[in-house]
Coordinates of all heavy atoms in Angstrom, one line a residue:
M195 N -112.0 41.7 24.9 CA -112.3 40.5 24.0 C -112.8 39.3 24.8 O -113.7 38.6 24.5 CB -111.0 40.2 23.2 CG -111.2 39.0 22.2 SD -112.3 39.6 20.9 CE -112.3 38.2 19.9
K196 N -112.2 39.1 26.0 CA -112.5 38.1 26.9 C -114.0 38.2 27.4 O -114.7 37.2 27.5 CB -111.6 37.9 28.0 CG -111.8 36.7 28.9 CD -110.9 36.7 30.0 CE -111.1 35.5 30.9 NZ -110.2 35.4 32.0
M197 N -114.4 39.5 27.6 CA -115.7 39.8 28.1 C -116.8 39.4 27.0 O -117.9 38.9 27.3 CB -115.8 41.2 28.5 CG -117.1 41.6 29.2 SD -117.0 40.8 30.8 CE -118.0 41.9 31.7
V198 N -116.5 39.7 25.7 CA -117.4 39.3 24.7 C -117.6 37.9 24.5 O -118.7 37.4 24.4 CB -116.9 40.0 23.3 CG1 -117.7 39.5 22.2 CG2 -116.8 41.5 23.4
L199 N -116.5 37.1 24.6 CA -116.6 35.7 24.5 C -117.3 35.1 25.7 O -118.1 34.2 25.6 CB -115.1 35.1 24.4 CG -114.4 35.3 23.1 CD1 -113.0 34.7 23.2 CD2 -115.2 34.6 21.9
Q200 N -117.1 35.6 26.9 CA -117.9 35.2 28.0 C -119.4 35.3 27.9 O -120.2 34.6 28.3 CB -117.4 35.7 29.3 CG -116.1 35.3 29.7 CD -115.6 36.0 31.0 OE1 -116.1 37.0 31.4 NE2 -114.6 35.4 31.7
S201 N -119.8 36.5 27.2 CA -121.2 36.7 27.1 C -121.8 35.9 26.0 O -122.9 35.6 26.0 CB -121.4 38.1 26.8 OG -120.9 38.6 25.6
I202 N -121.0 35.6 24.9 CA -121.5 34.7 23.9 C -121.5 33.2 24.3 O -122.6 32.5 24.0 CB -120.6 34.9 22.6 CG1 -120.8 36.3 22.0 CG2 -121.0 33.8 21.6 CD1 -119.9 36.6 20.9
I203 N -120.6 32.8 25.0 CA -120.6 31.4 25.4 C -121.2 31.4 26.8 O -120.5 31.2 27.8 CB -119.1 30.8 25.4 CG1 -118.5 31.0 24.0 CG2 -119.2 29.3 25.8 CD1 -117.2 30.6 23.9
S204 N -122.5 31.4 26.8 CA -123.2 31.4 28.1 C -124.5 30.6 27.9 O -125.1 30.6 26.8 CB -123.4 32.8 28.7 OG -124.3 33.4 27.9
V205 N -125.1 30.2 29.0 CA -126.4 29.5 28.9 C -127.5 30.5 28.5 O -128.3 30.1 27.7 CB -126.7 28.8 30.2 CG1 -128.1 28.3 30.2 CG2 -125.7 27.8 30.6
N206 N -127.4 31.7 29.0 CA -128.5 32.7 28.6 C -128.5 33.0 27.1 O -129.5 33.2 26.5 CB -128.2 34.0 29.4 CG -128.7 33.8 30.9 OD1 -129.5 32.9 31.2 ND2 -128.0 34.6 31.7
F207 N -127.3 33.0 26.5 CA -127.1 33.3 25.1 C -127.9 32.2 24.3 O -128.6 32.5 23.4 CB -125.7 33.5 24.7 CG -125.5 33.8 23.3 CD1 -125.6 35.1 22.9 CD2 -125.1 32.9 22.4 CE1 -125.5 35.5 21.5 CE2 -124.9 33.2 21.0 CZ -125.0 34.5 20.6
F208 N -127.6 31.0 24.6 CA -128.2 29.8 24.0 C -129.7 29.8 24.2 O -130.5 29.5 23.2 CB -127.6 28.5 24.3 CG -126.2 28.3 23.8 CD1 -125.1 28.3 24.7 CD2 -125.9 28.3 22.4 CE1 -123.8 28.3 24.2 CE2 -124.7 28.3 21.9 CZ -123.6 28.2 22.8
Y209 N -130.2 30.1 25.3 CA -131.7 30.2 25.6 C -132.2 31.2 24.8 O -133.4 31.2 24.3 CB -132.0 30.4 27.1 CG -131.8 29.2 28.0 CD1 -131.4 29.4 29.3 CD2 -131.9 28.0 27.5 CE1 -131.3 28.4 30.2 CE2 -131.7 26.9 28.3 CZ -131.4 27.1 29.7 OH -131.2 26.0 30.5
M210 N -131.6 32.4 24.6 CA -132.1 33.5 23.8 C -132.3 33.0 22.4 O -133.2 33.4 21.7 CB -131.1 34.7 23.9 CG -131.6 35.9 23.1 SD -131.1 36.2 21.5 CE -129.3 35.9 21.5
W211 N -131.3 32.3 21.9 CA -131.4 31.8 20.4 C -132.5 30.8 20.2 O -133.1 30.8 19.2 CB -130.0 31.3 19.9 CG -129.2 32.4 19.4 CD1 -128.0 32.9 20.0 CD2 -129.3 33.2 18.4 NE1 -127.6 34.0 19.3 CE2 -128.4 34.1 18.3 CE3 -130.3 33.2 17.3 CZ2 -128.3 35.1 17.2 CZ3 -130.2 34.1 16.3 CH2 -129.2 35.1 16.2
I212 N -132.7 30.0 21.2 CA -133.8 29.0 21.1 C -135.1 29.8 21.1 O -136.0 29.5 20.3 CB -133.8 28.0 22.2 CG1 -132.6 27.1 22.1 CG2 -135.0 27.2 22.4 CD1 -132.3 26.2 23.3
R213 N -135.3 30.8 22.0 CA -136.5 31.6 22.0 C -136.7 32.4 20.8 O -137.8 32.5 20.2 CB -136.4 32.5 23.2 CG -137.7 33.3 23.5 CD -137.6 34.2 24.7 NE -136.6 35.3 24.5 CZ -135.5 35.4 25.1 NH1 -135.0 34.7 26.1 NH2 -134.7 36.5 24.8
V214 N -135.6 32.9 20.1 CA -135.7 33.7 18.9 C -136.0 32.9 17.7 O -136.7 33.2 16.8 CB -134.6 34.6 18.8 CG1 -134.5 35.3 17.4 CG2 -134.5 35.7 19.8
A215 N -135.3 31.7 17.7 CA -135.3 30.9 16.5 C -136.6 30.0 16.4 O -137.0 29.5 15.3 CB -134.1 30.0 16.4
T216 N -137.4 29.8 17.5 CA -138.5 28.9 17.4 C -139.6 29.3 16.4 O -140.1 28.5 15.7 CB -139.1 28.8 18.8 OG1 -138.1 28.2 19.7 CG2 -140.3 27.8 18.9
P217 N -140.0 30.6 16.4 CA -141.0 31.0 15.3 C -140.6 30.8 13.9 O -141.3 30.8 13.0 CB -141.2 32.5 15.6 CG -140.8 32.7 17.0 CD -139.7 31.8 17.3
I218 N -139.2 30.7 13.7 CA -138.7 30.5 12.3 C -138.6 29.0 12.1 O -138.9 28.5 11.0 CB -137.3 31.2 12.2 CG1 -137.5 32.6 12.3 CG2 -136.8 30.8 10.8 CD1 -136.3 33.4 12.4
L219 N -138.2 28.2 13.1 CA -138.0 26.8 12.9 C -139.4 26.0 12.7 O -139.4 25.1 12.0 CB -137.2 26.2 14.0 CG -135.8 26.6 14.1 CD1 -135.1 26.0 15.4 CD2 -135.1 26.2 12.9
L220 N -140.4 26.4 13.5 CA -141.6 25.6 13.3 C -142.3 25.7 12.0 O -142.6 24.7 11.4 CB -142.6 26.1 14.5 CG -142.2 25.7 15.9 CD1 -143.1 26.3 16.8 CD2 -142.0 24.3 16.1
P221 N -142.4 26.9 11.4 CA -142.9 26.9 9.9 C -142.0 26.2 9.0 O -142.4 25.7 8.0 CB -143.0 28.3 9.6 CG -143.1 29.1 10.9 CD -142.3 28.3 11.9
A222 N -140.7 26.3 9.3 CA -139.7 25.6 8.4 C -140.0 24.1 8.5 O -139.9 23.3 7.5 CB -138.3 25.9 8.7
L223 N -140.2 23.6 9.6 CA -140.5 22.2 9.8 C -141.8 21.8 9.1 O -141.9 20.8 8.5 CB -140.6 21.8 11.3 CG -140.9 20.4 11.6 CD1 -139.8 19.4 11.1 CD2 -141.0 20.2 13.2
G224 N -142.8 22.7 9.3 CA -144.1 22.5 8.6 C -143.9 22.5 7.0 O -144.5 21.7 6.4
A225 N -143.1 23.3 6.5 CA -142.8 23.4 5.1 C -142.1 22.2 4.6 O -142.4 21.7 3.5 CB -142.0 24.7 4.8
T226 N -141.2 21.6 5.4 CA -140.6 20.3 5.1 C -141.6 19.2 5.0 O -141.5 18.4 4.0 CB -139.5 20.0 6.1 OG1 -138.6 21.1 6.2 CG2 -138.7 18.8 5.8
V227 N -142.5 19.1 5.9 CA -143.5 18.1 5.9 C -144.4 18.2 4.6 O -144.7 17.3 4.0 CB -144.3 18.1 7.2 CG1 -145.5 17.2 7.1 CG2 -143.5 17.7 8.4
C228 N -144.8 19.5 4.4 CA -145.6 19.8 3.1 C -144.9 19.4 1.9 O -145.5 18.9 1.0 CB -146.1 21.3 3.2 SG -147.3 21.7 4.4
S229 N -143.6 19.7 1.9 CA -142.8 19.5 0.7 C -142.7 17.9 0.5 O -142.7 17.5 -0.6 CB -141.4 20.0 0.9 OG -140.6 19.7 -0.3
C230 N -142.5 17.2 1.6 CA -142.5 15.8 1.4 C -143.9 15.2 1.0 O -143.9 14.1 0.3 CB -142.1 15.1 2.8 SG -140.4 15.4 3.2
A231 N -145.0 15.8 1.3 CA -146.3 15.4 0.8 C -146.6 15.9 -0.6 O -147.6 15.5 -1.2 CB -147.3 16.0 1.8
G232 N -145.7 16.7 -1.2 CA -145.9 17.2 -2.6 C -146.7 18.4 -2.7 O -147.2 18.8 -3.7
V233 N -146.8 19.2 -1.5 CA -147.6 20.4 -1.5 C -146.7 21.6 -1.2 O -145.9 21.5 -0.3 CB -148.7 20.4 -0.5 CG1 -149.5 21.7 -0.5 CG2 -149.7 19.2 -0.8
V234 N -146.7 22.7 -2.0 CA -146.0 23.8 -1.7 C -146.9 24.8 -0.9 O -147.8 25.4 -1.4 CB -145.5 24.5 -2.9 CG1 -144.6 25.8 -2.6 CG2 -144.6 23.6 -3.8
N235 N -146.6 24.9 0.4 CA -147.4 25.7 1.2 C -146.6 27.0 1.6 O -145.8 27.0 2.4 CB -147.9 25.0 2.5 CG -148.9 25.6 3.3 OD1 -149.2 26.8 3.0 ND2 -149.4 25.0 4.3
L236 N -147.0 28.1 0.9 CA -146.4 29.3 1.2 C -147.0 30.2 2.2 O -146.5 31.2 2.6 CB -146.3 30.2 -0.1 CG -145.5 29.6 -1.3 CD1 -145.5 30.4 -2.5 CD2 -144.0 29.3 -0.8
G237 N -148.1 29.7 2.8 CA -148.9 30.5 3.8 C -148.7 30.1 5.2 O -149.4 30.5 6.1
L238 N -147.6 29.4 5.5 CA -147.4 28.9 6.9 C -147.2 30.1 7.9 O -147.8 30.0 9.0 CB -146.2 28.0 7.0 CG -146.5 26.6 6.2 CD1 -145.2 25.8 6.2 CD2 -147.5 25.8 7.1
E239 N -146.4 31.0 7.5 CA -146.2 32.2 8.4 C -147.4 33.0 8.5 O -147.8 33.4 9.6 CB -145.1 33.1 7.8 CG -143.7 32.5 7.9 CD -143.4 31.6 6.7 OE1 -144.3 31.5 5.7 OE2 -142.3 30.9 6.6
G240 N -148.2 33.1 7.4 CA -149.5 33.9 7.6 C -150.5 33.1 8.5 O -151.2 33.8 9.3
I241 N -150.5 31.8 8.4 CA -151.4 31.0 9.2 C -151.0 31.2 10.7 O -151.8 31.4 11.6 CB -151.4 29.5 8.8 CG1 -152.1 29.4 7.5 CG2 -152.1 28.6 9.9 CD1 -151.8 27.9 6.9
M242 N -149.7 31.2 11.0 CA -149.2 31.4 12.3 C -149.5 32.7 12.8 O -149.9 33.0 13.9 CB -147.7 31.1 12.3 CG -147.1 30.8 13.6 SD -145.5 30.2 13.6 CE -144.5 31.7 13.2
L243 N -149.4 33.8 12.0 CA -149.7 35.2 12.4 C -151.1 35.3 12.7 O -151.5 36.0 13.7 CB -149.2 36.2 11.4 CG -147.7 36.4 11.3 CD1 -147.4 37.3 10.1 CD2 -147.2 37.0 12.6
M244 N -152.0 34.8 11.8 CA -153.5 34.9 12.0 C -153.9 34.2 13.4 O -154.7 34.7 14.1 CB -154.3 34.4 10.9 CG -154.3 35.3 9.7 SD -155.4 34.8 8.5 CE -154.3 34.1 7.3
S245 N -153.3 33.0 13.6 CA -153.6 32.3 14.8 C -153.1 33.1 16.0 O -153.8 33.2 17.1 CB -153.0 31.0 14.8 OG -153.4 30.2 13.7
A246 N -151.9 33.7 16.0 CA -151.4 34.5 17.2 C -152.3 35.7 17.4 O -152.6 36.0 18.5 CB -150.0 34.9 16.9
L247 N -152.8 36.3 16.3 CA -153.7 37.5 16.5 C -155.0 37.1 17.1 O -155.4 37.7 18.1 CB -154.0 38.1 15.1 CG -155.0 39.3 15.2 CD1 -154.4 40.5 16.0 CD2 -155.3 39.8 13.8
A248 N -155.5 36.0 16.6 CA -156.8 35.5 17.2 C -156.6 35.1 18.7 O -157.5 35.4 19.6 CB -157.4 34.4 16.5
D249 N -155.5 34.5 19.0 CA -155.2 34.1 20.4 C -155.0 35.4 21.3 O -155.6 35.4 22.4 CB -154.0 33.3 20.4 CG -153.5 32.8 21.8 OD1 -154.4 32.9 22.8 OD2 -152.4 32.5 22.0
A250 N -154.3 36.4 20.8 CA -154.1 37.6 21.6 C -155.5 38.3 21.9 O -155.7 38.8 23.0 CB -153.1 38.5 20.9
L251 N -156.3 38.4 20.8 CA -157.6 39.1 21.0 C -158.5 38.3 22.0 O -159.1 39.0 22.9 CB -158.2 39.2 19.6 CG -157.6 40.2 18.7 CD1 -158.3 40.1 17.3 CD2 -157.6 41.6 19.2
V252 N -158.6 37.0 21.8 CA -159.5 36.3 22.6 C -158.9 36.2 24.1 O -159.7 36.4 25.0 CB -159.8 34.8 22.1 CG1 -160.4 34.0 23.0 CG2 -160.6 34.9 20.8
S253 N -157.7 36.0 24.3 CA -157.1 36.0 25.6 C -157.3 37.3 26.3 O -157.6 37.4 27.5 CB -155.7 35.6 25.5 OG -155.5 34.3 25.0
S254 N -157.2 38.5 25.5 CA -157.3 39.7 26.2 C -158.8 40.0 26.5 O -159.1 40.7 27.5 CB -156.7 40.9 25.3 OG -157.5 41.0 24.2
I255 N -159.7 39.6 25.7 CA -161.1 39.8 25.9 C -161.6 38.9 27.1 O -162.2 39.4 28.1 CB -161.9 39.6 24.7 CG1 -161.6 40.7 23.7 CG2 -163.4 39.6 25.0 CD1 -162.2 40.5 22.3
S256 N -161.2 37.6 27.0 CA -161.8 36.6 28.0 C -161.0 36.7 29.3 O -161.5 36.2 30.3 CB -161.8 35.3 27.4 OG -160.6 34.7 27.2
G257 N -159.7 37.0 29.2 CA -158.8 37.0 30.4 C -158.4 35.7 30.8 O -157.7 35.5 31.8
G258 N -158.6 34.7 29.9 CA -158.2 33.3 30.2 C -157.2 32.8 29.1 O -157.2 33.1 28.0
L259 N -156.4 31.8 29.5 CA -155.4 31.3 28.6 C -156.0 30.2 27.8 O -155.7 30.0 26.5 CB -154.2 30.7 29.4 CG -153.0 30.1 28.6 CD1 -152.4 31.1 27.7 CD2 -152.0 29.5 29.6
F260 N -156.8 29.4 28.4 CA -157.4 28.1 27.7 C -158.2 28.5 26.5 O -158.1 27.9 25.4 CB -158.2 27.3 28.7 CG -158.6 25.9 28.2 CD1 -157.6 25.0 27.9 CD2 -160.0 25.7 27.9 CE1 -158.0 23.8 27.4 CE2 -160.3 24.5 27.4 CZ -159.4 23.5 27.2
G261 N -159.0 29.5 26.5 CA -159.8 30.0 25.4 C -159.0 30.4 24.3 O -159.3 30.2 23.1
G262 N -158.0 31.2 24.6 CA -157.0 31.7 23.6 C -156.3 30.6 22.9 O -156.2 30.6 21.6
I263 N -155.9 29.5 23.6 CA -155.3 28.4 22.9 C -156.2 27.7 22.0 O -155.8 27.3 20.9 CB -154.7 27.5 24.0 CG1 -153.5 28.2 24.6 CG2 -154.2 26.2 23.3 CD1 -152.9 27.4 25.8
L264 N -157.5 27.4 22.4 CA -158.5 26.8 21.6 C -158.7 27.6 20.3 O -158.8 27.0 19.2 CB -159.8 26.6 22.4 CG -159.7 25.5 23.5 CD1 -161.1 25.4 24.2 CD2 -159.4 24.2 22.8
I265 N -158.9 28.9 20.4 CA -159.1 29.8 19.3 C -157.9 29.7 18.4 O -158.0 29.8 17.1 CB -159.4 31.3 19.7 CG1 -160.7 31.2 20.4 CG2 -159.3 32.2 18.6 CD1 -162.0 30.9 19.5
R266 N -156.7 29.7 19.0 CA -155.5 29.6 18.1 C -155.5 28.4 17.2 O -155.3 28.4 16.1 CB -154.2 29.7 19.0 CG -153.0 29.5 18.1 CD -151.8 29.6 19.0 NE -151.5 30.9 19.3 CZ -150.4 31.5 19.6 NH1 -149.3 30.7 19.7 NH2 -150.1 32.7 19.9
V267 N -155.8 27.3 17.8 CA -155.8 26.0 17.0 C -156.9 26.0 16.1 O -156.8 25.6 14.9 CB -155.9 24.8 18.0 CG1 -156.1 23.5 17.4 CG2 -154.6 24.7 18.9
G268 N -158.1 26.5 16.5 CA -159.2 26.5 15.6 C -159.0 27.5 14.4 O -159.3 27.1 13.2
T269 N -158.4 28.6 14.6 CA -158.0 29.5 13.6 C -157.0 28.9 12.5 O -157.2 29.0 11.3 CB -157.4 30.9 14.1 OG1 -158.3 31.4 15.0 CG2 -157.2 31.8 13.0
A270 N -156.0 28.2 13.0 CA -155.1 27.6 12.2 C -155.7 26.5 11.3 O -155.4 26.4 10.2 CB -153.9 26.9 13.0
V271 N -156.7 25.7 12.0 CA -157.3 24.7 11.2 C -158.2 25.2 10.1 O -158.2 24.8 9.0 CB -158.1 23.8 12.2 CG1 -159.0 22.8 11.4 CG2 -157.1 22.9 13.0
I272 N -159.0 26.3 10.5 CA -159.9 26.9 9.5 C -159.1 27.5 8.3 O -159.4 27.3 7.2 CB -160.8 27.9 10.2 CG1 -161.8 27.3 11.1 CG2 -161.5 28.8 9.1 CD1 -162.5 28.2 12.0
V273 N -158.0 28.2 8.6 CA -157.3 28.9 7.5 C -156.6 27.8 6.7 O -156.6 27.9 5.5 CB -156.3 29.9 8.1 CG1 -155.3 30.4 7.0 CG2 -157.0 31.0 8.8
S274 N -156.1 26.7 7.3 CA -155.6 25.6 6.6 C -156.5 24.9 5.7 O -156.2 24.5 4.5 CB -154.9 24.6 7.5 OG -153.8 25.2 8.3
L275 N -157.8 24.8 6.2 CA -158.8 24.1 5.4 C -159.2 25.1 4.2 O -159.4 24.5 3.0 CB -160.1 23.9 6.2 CG -159.9 22.8 7.1 CD1 -161.1 22.7 8.0 CD2 -159.7 21.4 6.4
I276 N -159.1 26.4 4.3 CA -159.5 27.2 3.2 C -158.3 27.1 2.2 O -158.6 27.1 1.0 CB -159.6 28.7 3.8 CG1 -160.9 28.8 4.6 CG2 -159.6 29.6 2.6 CD1 -161.0 30.2 5.3
F277 N -157.1 27.1 2.7 CA -155.9 26.9 1.8 C -156.0 25.6 1.0 O -155.8 25.5 -0.2 CB -154.6 27.0 2.6 CG -153.4 26.6 1.8 CD1 -152.9 27.6 0.9 CD2 -152.8 25.4 1.8 CE1 -151.8 27.4 0.1 CE2 -151.7 25.2 1.0 CZ -151.1 26.2 0.2
A278 N -156.4 24.5 1.7 CA -156.5 23.2 1.1 C -157.6 23.2 0.1 O -157.5 22.5 -1.0 CB -156.8 22.1 2.2
Y279 N -158.7 23.9 0.4 CA -159.8 23.9 -0.6 C -159.4 24.6 -1.9 O -159.6 24.1 -3.0 CB -161.0 24.7 0.0 CG -162.1 25.0 -1.0 CD1 -163.0 23.9 -1.5 CD2 -162.2 26.2 -1.7 CE1 -163.9 24.2 -2.4 CE2 -163.2 26.5 -2.6 CZ -164.0 25.4 -3.0 OH -165.0 25.7 -3.9
F280 N -158.7 25.7 -1.8 CA -158.3 26.4 -3.0 C -157.2 25.6 -3.7 O -157.0 25.9 -4.9 CB -157.9 27.9 -2.7 CG -159.1 28.7 -2.5 CD1 -159.3 29.3 -1.2 CD2 -160.0 29.0 -3.5 CE1 -160.5 30.1 -1.0 CE2 -161.1 29.8 -3.4 CZ -161.4 30.3 -2.1
H281 N -156.3 25.0 -3.0 CA -155.3 24.2 -3.6 C -155.8 23.0 -4.3 O -155.3 22.6 -5.3 CB -154.3 23.8 -2.5 CG -153.1 23.0 -3.0 ND1 -152.1 23.7 -3.7 CD2 -152.8 21.7 -3.0 CE1 -151.2 22.7 -4.1 NE2 -151.7 21.5 -3.7
L282 N -156.8 22.3 -3.8 CA -157.2 21.0 -4.4 C -158.5 21.1 -5.2 O -158.8 20.1 -5.9 CB -157.6 20.1 -3.2 CG -156.4 19.7 -2.2 CD1 -156.9 18.9 -1.1 CD2 -155.3 19.0 -3.0
R283 N -159.1 22.2 -5.3 CA -160.3 22.3 -6.2 C -159.9 22.3 -7.7 O -158.8 22.6 -8.1 CB -161.0 23.6 -6.0 CG -160.5 24.8 -6.6 CD -161.3 26.0 -6.2 NE -160.6 27.1 -6.5 CZ -161.0 28.1 -7.3 NH1 -162.1 28.0 -7.9 NH2 -160.1 29.1 -7.6
K284 N -160.8 21.6 -8.5 CA -160.5 21.5 -9.9 C -161.0 22.7 -10.7 O -161.9 23.4 -10.3 CB -161.3 20.2 -10.4 CG -160.9 19.0 -9.7 CD -159.5 18.6 -10.1 CE -159.2 17.2 -9.4 NZ -157.8 16.8 -9.5
H285 N -160.4 23.0 -11.8 CA -160.7 24.1 -12.6 C -161.9 23.7 -13.5 O -161.9 22.8 -14.1 CB -159.5 24.6 -13.4 CG -158.5 25.2 -12.5 ND1 -158.6 26.4 -11.9 CD2 -157.3 24.7 -12.1 CE1 -157.5 26.7 -11.1 NE2 -156.7 25.6 -11.2

C-alpha cells in the first residue's frame, strides 16, 4: 500500500496528468470563451484534430518544425472561418 501511495504522490505523476489533461483542457477553455460570447461551438475538438493532422503531414514532408506550426495555425483559422460562415449566414 505504501508503494502505491509513493507512486501516486510524486512529481512524475502530476507531470503525467498535466500532459494528459492539456488536450482536454484547451478545448474546454475555448468552449467557455465561446459560451460567454453566445456561440455554441461543438467543433473545437475537430478543429484541433484537423490542425494536428495538417501539422504532422507538413512537418513530416518538410522536415521542419516552423512550417508545421504555421500550417497548424492556418488550418485552425480556415476551419474556424468556415464554421463561422455557416453559423452566421442568414437563411
